[in-house]
Amino acid sequence: MSVKKGDFLRLEYTGRIQETGEVFDTTNEKIAEEEGIQLENKIYGAIPIIVGAGHVLKGIEDTLIDMGEGEEKEVEISPLEGFGERDPKLLQLIPISEFRKQGIKPQVGMNITSEGATGKIRSISGGRVRVDFNNELAGKTLHYQIKVHKIIQDDVEKVRSMIDLHYPNPNIDSTKHIVKIEDEKVIIYMDEMTKFDKKPYMDITFARFRIARDIWENMDKVDKVEFIDVFEKKVNEEAEKVVKPTSEEVTEESPKESSEETSEIASEEVLEERIEEKEEE
């Protein structure tokens, strides 16, 4: 079986800068450790993607077409297909006084955010700070080693793979997500640990929307995705160990377990309305 557009698969890769051979990204934890780029909270291993959904660079997607499961290839990505050419207009000189007003002591190599854009301080001289808002990989030719680790066929596994992609968390076991597919609808009961996630509400909402969108756009006969949160009363076993009542005592039935279910239908219209309401608040 070969890869085609719209396929769900798990991909291994290592990306290097062509000119220097420097590794800037990899799914292999051992390589990341050897290259000194290992991130503490990053989940390593083959990543789930949908071919053609823009989850990886277009040059990689094009190379994946017609590859087989387990097959490896190398691909060169030009700046045009990668992160674009460097733009001189994105290299800015900012008075150091602007940093002091905000209580920031600028240092070379420090990342800063301005008007939603992230830049890196390249130099400090003459009371001015030189900040580069170009992407770190802009203007560079990239070399990738890629491998099709697995082509995903099972629909439930496809859903779980999108949760892994858009809701990564090292403390969450994706096999514990309960997924049901019925009547052109996907129903997702997320793992219990997601209830204690400290991510902002809007981040969680956007993650669920991305999961839903990738599912209904790439899975046949699915046009709705529901996320169900279940809160179940826990029965205290010690409290149940009561003394057997005498004939004169009145007995009461133990309360049955109750559950409260709240569902969030992940459709574009509903999400947009909720996002607007949140912004107004």
Side-chain angles (χ1 to χ4, degrees), residues 182-198:
E182 53 187 40
D183 300 326
E184 301 182 353
K185 178 173 64 177
V186 171
I187 304 171
I188 301 172
Y189 296 80
M190 300 279 278
D191 175 33
E192 286 282 323
M193 291 301 296
T194 61
K195 296 174 185 176
F196 308 102
D197 201 325
K198 295 182 180 179

Side-chain angles (χ1 to χ4, degrees), residues 49-51 58 79 97 122 125 131 179 216 218:
I49 69 164
I50 300 173
V51 180
K58 187 177 183 303
S97 59
R122 298 296 184 188
S125 178
V131 182
V179 177
W216 70 53
N218 296 280

Side-chain angles (χ1 to χ4, degrees), residues 248-266:
E248 296 180 356
E249 292 177 327
V250 179
T251 62
E252 292 183 357
E253 293 184 0
S254 299
K256 296 181 179 179
E257 288 186 356
S258 63
S259 64
E260 177 183 351
E261 296 186 357
T262 59
S263 64
E264 180 179 343
I265 302 177

